């Protein structure tokens, strides 16, 4: 960054430049400093622990929680911390005034703690194999020691069926079993127990040769503390692809999509758990009363959604991590995701280990000497800091992707509003913005949409921009007829086609986005501070979807005319 006190700047110009830079930094943190920004969307996040805590110590989740709280722009995460037991004030982040609420001795069946509509996203960080001594429930029954009670699991399942998202993780073996192993859907998406009593055969052991040891060495040797250095483990994201015309494009799952591209790193650890693609057919959720199938049929014209492993972790040969058995090289599931929104219920994610989230694996080991680089974690080197930023993007992606559909709709409207009034996309394409949607031709809408997606790429990955448009138009597009536009849906082979990729579905997305932006501009051509305060996301969503629908109608007519013209030329 140039020195603003350089001789070529006058004192006044240096002051102007410094003020501009200060505002740019402040706007990155809080974009609604600009008067025309709408109120940020609120996502209510509940983070539950049963043995970990939220402190700054090694096994604290303070760094993860702080990442959510620091999220600026179009969303604000309102974070409540819950602990199954009783812990110190510091363990409940009493040092951070941004925490909305702190609840010790947390009970899911206690209405003052939790209800089906109390939160939007629940994070479960389990370490306990059992947890006795919880007392009696509001109904007078003793809580079991080997899992959450049926009443707690029932209300948590009702939360999921209402659209709420759940994240669940433990560590190796049975760690995390108490909190998570009976939670609807999540119970089938991860191993919550040892796979064998023989350590040499156990896939999730602590010391056996088949353990999921992802440590990557930094300094000479293979040490346990390598988990706290600045070197992450590489992961292999599942890549989804679509052929658009004669070009093939690839996307990771939205959870692993960031502004810098595909997220390919995670913190490492000597013994992780394992995620799977479970999901039995026909099983009904039934704790204290049946509340429907565990994995319901699709709510639209797409295949029934089921859990899928979206990233794979690898184990090197011969890693000992400070005295363990030398590892046999293999791979295992690192993250499993279930898109329940495509079945009218909440989304679910499981992760191989909470070591991807605790301080010791992120910001260093508090028990090594202060001058040791492993006391600083990813902060020790520029390369480590770059990896840390990608990992933090994954944390934010979790809270956003798991949010209720109405949360996501709210956030999308803020992005669309910003494209119109902050990024001024229409002014970059049109000679005047005082124009009605009915007066804009399909080619211009395509240019507007394409330019808008380029702008989105500055702060979100390309797959995030595709996801935004799909959320806008999913009610209008028959994905069985045009499956190519959604890269995350497995398209079934279609009869009568020879496999030659003549169709390019991408312009449909650009035209729909262009239509949404023009519709917003037409409805609110001169926003003011009062409008920014009062305009609700439901009204703005309605406007955007109507504009996208008009764009799609124009696109269909254009496609039909183009095909007819091509056929006429070929016949002539």
């Amino acid at each position: 960054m140039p020195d603003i006190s350089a001789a070529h700047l006058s004192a006044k110009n240096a002051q102007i430049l410094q003020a501009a830079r200060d505002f740019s930094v402040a706007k990155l943190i809080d974009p609604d400093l600009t008067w025309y920004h709408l109120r940020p969307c609120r996502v209510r996040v509940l983070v539950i622990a049963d043995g970990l805590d939220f402190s700054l110590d090694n096994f604290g989740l303070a760094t993860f929680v702080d990442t959510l709280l620091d999220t600026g722009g179009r969303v604000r995460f309102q974070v409540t911390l819950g602990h199954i037991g009783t812990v110190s004030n510091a363990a409940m982040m009493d040092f951070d005034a941004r925490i909305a609420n702190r609840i010790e001795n947390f009970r899911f069946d206690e209405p003052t703690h939790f209800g089906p509509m109390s939160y939007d996203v629940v994070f479960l960080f389990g370490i306990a194999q059992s947890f006795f001594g919880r007392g009696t429930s509001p109904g007078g029954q003793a809580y079991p020691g080997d899992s959450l009670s049926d009443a707690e699991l029932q209300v948590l399942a009702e939360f999921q069926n209402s659209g709420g998202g759940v994240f669940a993780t433990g560590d190796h073996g049975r760690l995390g079993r108490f909190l998570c192993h009976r939670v609807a859907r999540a119970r089938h998406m991860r191993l919550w127990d040892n796979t064998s009593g023989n350590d040499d055969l156990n896939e999730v052991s602590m010391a056996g040769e088949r353990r999921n040891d992802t440590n990557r060495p930094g300094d000479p040797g293979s040490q346990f503390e390598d988990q706290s250095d600045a070197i992450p483990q590489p992961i292999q994201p599942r890549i989804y692809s679509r052929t658009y015309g004669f070009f093939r494009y690839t996307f990771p799952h939205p959870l692993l999509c960031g502004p810098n591209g595909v997220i390919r790193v995670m913190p490492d650890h000597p013994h992780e758990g394992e995620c799977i693609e479970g999901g039995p057919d026909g099983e009904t959720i039934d704790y204290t009363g049946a509340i429907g199938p565990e994995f319901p049929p699709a709510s639209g014209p797409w295949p029934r959604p089921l859990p899928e492993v979206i990233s794979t972790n690898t184990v090197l040969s011969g890693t000992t991590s400070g005295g363990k058995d030398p590892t046999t090289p293999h791979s295992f599931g690192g993250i499993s995701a279930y898109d329940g929104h495509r079945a009218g219920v909440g989304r679910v994610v499981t992760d191989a280990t909470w070591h991807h989230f605790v301080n010791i694996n992120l910001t260093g080991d508090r028990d090594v000497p202060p001058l040791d680089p492993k006391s600083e974690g990813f902060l020790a080197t520029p390369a480590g800091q770059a990896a840390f930023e990608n990992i933090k993007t994954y944390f934010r992606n979790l809270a956003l992707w798991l949010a209720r559909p109405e949360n996501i709709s709210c956030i999308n409207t803020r992005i669309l509003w910003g494209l119109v009034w902050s990024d001024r996309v229409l002014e970059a394409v049109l000679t005047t913005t005082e124009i009605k949607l009915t007066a804009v031709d399909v080619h211009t809408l395509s240019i507007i949409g394409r330019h808008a997606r380029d702008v989105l790429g500055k702060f979100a990955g390309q797959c995030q921009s595709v996801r935004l448009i799909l959320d806008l138009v999913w009610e209008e597009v028959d994905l069985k007829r045009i499956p190519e536009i959604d890269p995350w849906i497995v398209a079934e082979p279609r009869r009568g086609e020879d496999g030659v990729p003549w169709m390019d579905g991408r312009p449909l997305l650009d035209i729909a986005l262009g239509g949404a932006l023009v519709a917003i501009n037409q409805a609110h051509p001169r926003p003011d501070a009062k409008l920014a305060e009062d305009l609700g996301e439901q009204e703005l969503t309605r406007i955007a979807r109507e504009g996208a629908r008009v764009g799609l109608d124009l696109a269909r007519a254009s496609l039909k005319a183009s095909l007819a013209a091509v056929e006429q030329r070929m016949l002539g």
Side-chain angles (χ1 to χ4, degrees):
M1 182 179 292
D3 183 0
I4 62 172
S5 63
H8 70 280
L9 289 176
S10 67
K12 181 59 179 177
N13 285 343
Q15 182 182 11
I16 291 171
L17 183 57
Q18 184 63 58
R21 286 180 176 166
D22 290 345
F23 182 77
S24 295
V25 171
K27 189 175 176 182
L28 283 174
I29 299 171
D30 190 8
D32 54 302
L33 288 173
T34 309
W35 64 268
Y36 47 75
H37 272 285
L38 303 180
R39 292 190 307 273
C41 303
R42 182 185 67 161
V43 177
R44 301 162 301 167
V45 175
L46 172 66
V47 189
I48 298 292
D50 65 359
L52 304 176
D53 59 41
F54 307 102
S55 72
L56 293 167
D57 208 349
N58 281 339
F59 289 87
L61 291 156
T63 304
F64 165 72
V65 174
D66 183 69
T67 299
L68 298 186
L69 293 172
D70 277 347
T71 302
R74 298 160 179 87
V75 63
R76 295 289 185 273
F77 293 116
Q78 179 181 294
V79 179
T80 293
L81 305 180
H83 202 284
I84 297 297
T86 302
V87 292
S88 69
N89 290 339
M92 294 296 283
M93 284 185 76
D94 66 339
F95 48 83
D96 197 319
R98 297 173 296 173
I99 300 299
N101 195 13
R102 300 172 177 85
I103 307 172
E104 296 181 59
N105 299 306
F106 187 91
R107 307 291 187 265
F108 279 101
D109 59 344
E110 169 52 60
T112 62
H113 294 181
F114 188 79
M117 300 302 297
S118 301
Y119 301 94
D120 302 309
V121 181
V122 173
F123 284 88
L124 303 175
F125 290 97
I127 186 173
Q129 301 178 54
S130 59
F131 203 108
F132 292 93
R134 297 181 70 206
T136 56
S137 72
Q141 294 82 26
Y143 282 105
D146 59 349
S147 75
L148 296 177
S149 71
D150 285 356
E152 290 181 289
L153 293 164
Q154 177 80 13
V155 72
L156 191 52
E158 292 169 0
F159 162 80
Q160 292 177 263
N161 275 12
S162 74
V166 166
F167 171 88
T169 188
D171 193 34
H172 66 274
R174 296 171 59 88
L175 297 187
R177 183 173 174 82
F178 163 79
L179 189 60
C180 303
H181 91 278
R182 293 186 64 211
V183 172
R185 300 176 184 118
R187 59 187 176 181
H188 298 298
M189 296 170 58
R190 191 185 179 280
L191 299 179
W192 300 106
D193 204 343
N194 295 306
T195 61
S196 172
N198 183 341
D199 228 20
D200 292 335
L201 302 176
N202 187 4
E203 300 289 335
V204 288
S205 75
M206 186 173 69
E209 62 181 30
R210 291 287 302 173
R211 73 183 181 279
N212 293 330
D213 189 332
T214 62
N215 262 6
R216 294 305 190 264
D219 46 7
S222 175
Q223 299 141 5
F224 194 97
E225 292 79 13
D226 288 338
Q227 69 172 339
S228 300
D229 62 18
I231 300 174
Q233 62 163 310
I235 64 171
Q236 301 299 319
R238 177 173 180 172
I239 297 298
Y240 304 78
S241 66
R242 277 290 180 269
T243 297
Y244 297 133
F246 287 93
F247 297 93
R248 179 172 289 274
Y249 291 80
T250 59
F251 302 89
H253 190 278
L255 287 171
L256 296 174
C257 182
N260 298 321
V262 183
I263 297 173
R264 299 182 181 275
V265 293
M266 283 289 152
D268 51 3
H269 179 61
H271 34 248
E272 301 192 9
E274 185 167 337
C275 295
I276 57 176
E277 292 189 335
D281 278 345
E283 187 165 333
T284 298
I285 304 173
D286 189 354
Y287 297 112
T288 61
I291 54 175
E294 188 141 25
F295 294 98
S299 57
W302 43 73
R304 172 175 170 235
L306 290 170
E308 54 187 347
V309 169
I310 65 162
S311 76
T312 301
N313 301 355
T314 57
V315 178
L316 300 177
S317 173
T319 301
T320 59
S321 292
K324 298 179 183 295
D325 292 344
T327 50
T328 299
H330 63 278
S331 60
F332 64 96
I335 305 169
S336 183
Y338 167 68
D339 188 357
H341 290 182
R342 291 195 279 118
V345 298
R347 289 168 167 167
V348 184
V349 176
T350 61
D351 194 290
T353 177
W354 39 253
H355 272 282
H356 297 158
F357 299 83
V358 293
N359 302 326
I360 192 171
N361 298 86
L362 299 171
T363 55
D365 189 340
R366 308 295 189 260
D367 295 328
V368 300
L371 296 180
D372 188 325
K374 293 177 183 178
S375 70
E376 301 176 4
F378 289 119
L379 305 179
T381 67
Q385 292 169 38
F388 190 28
E389 290 305 311
N390 282 325
I391 292 164
K392 289 193 289 185
T393 296
Y394 167 59
F395 294 168
R396 297 187 187 100
N397 285 351
L398 280 168
L400 290 169
W401 192 78
L402 287 168
R404 296 176 184 272
E406 51 265 38
N407 299 135
I408 294 170
S409 178
C410 177
I411 295 164
N412 285 346
T413 60
R414 270 53 181 173
I415 293 174
L416 294 171
W417 186 266
L419 288 170
V420 174
W421 292 113
S422 179
D423 301 300
R424 305 283 180 170
V425 165
L426 299 184
E427 294 178 7
V429 175
L430 303 174
T431 56
T432 176
T433 58
E434 296 183 2
I435 191 168
K436 294 183 181 297
L437 181 56
T438 53
V440 183
D441 62 83
V442 68
H443 178 64
T444 302
L445 290 180
S446 176
I447 295 173
I448 293 170
R450 195 158 60 243
H451 182 63
R453 287 214 285 149
D454 286 342
V455 172
L456 278 172
K458 295 179 181 179
F459 59 87
Q462 288 298 314
C463 62
Q464 302 288 17
S465 68
V466 172
R467 188 71 262 164
L468 180 154
I469 305 168
L470 290 173
D471 288 340
L472 272 179
V473 304
W474 69 270
E475 293 178 337
E476 299 290 336
V477 178
D478 187 342
L479 294 173
K480 288 186 176 179
R481 294 191 177 192
I482 319 174
E484 292 85 358
I485 69 170
D486 191 333
W488 298 286
I489 289 181
V490 178
E492 298 176 357
R494 292 182 290 182
R495 292 181 299 175
E497 296 189 11
D498 55 14
V500 179
W502 298 112
M503 277 289 297
D504 184 352
R506 286 176 304 152
L508 288 171
L509 299 178
D510 294 332
I511 294 166
L513 179 56
L517 297 177
V518 173
I520 290 171
N521 182 79
Q522 178 180 318
H524 300 287
R526 292 178 183 84
D528 55 30
K530 186 177 188 306
L531 180 66
E533 179 68 22
D534 295 340
L535 185 60
E537 59 268 17
Q538 291 183 347
E539 171 65 9
L540 198 53
T541 297
R542 184 194 63 78
I543 294 167
R545 284 185 173 165
E546 175 61 19
R549 185 194 63 77
V550 171
L552 286 175
D553 286 344
L554 290 172
R556 293 185 184 104
S558 173
L559 176 60
K560 185 176 181 180
S562 295
L563 290 174
V566 169
E567 185 176 7
Q568 184 64 35
R569 287 199 301 270
M570 293 179 70
L571 290 175

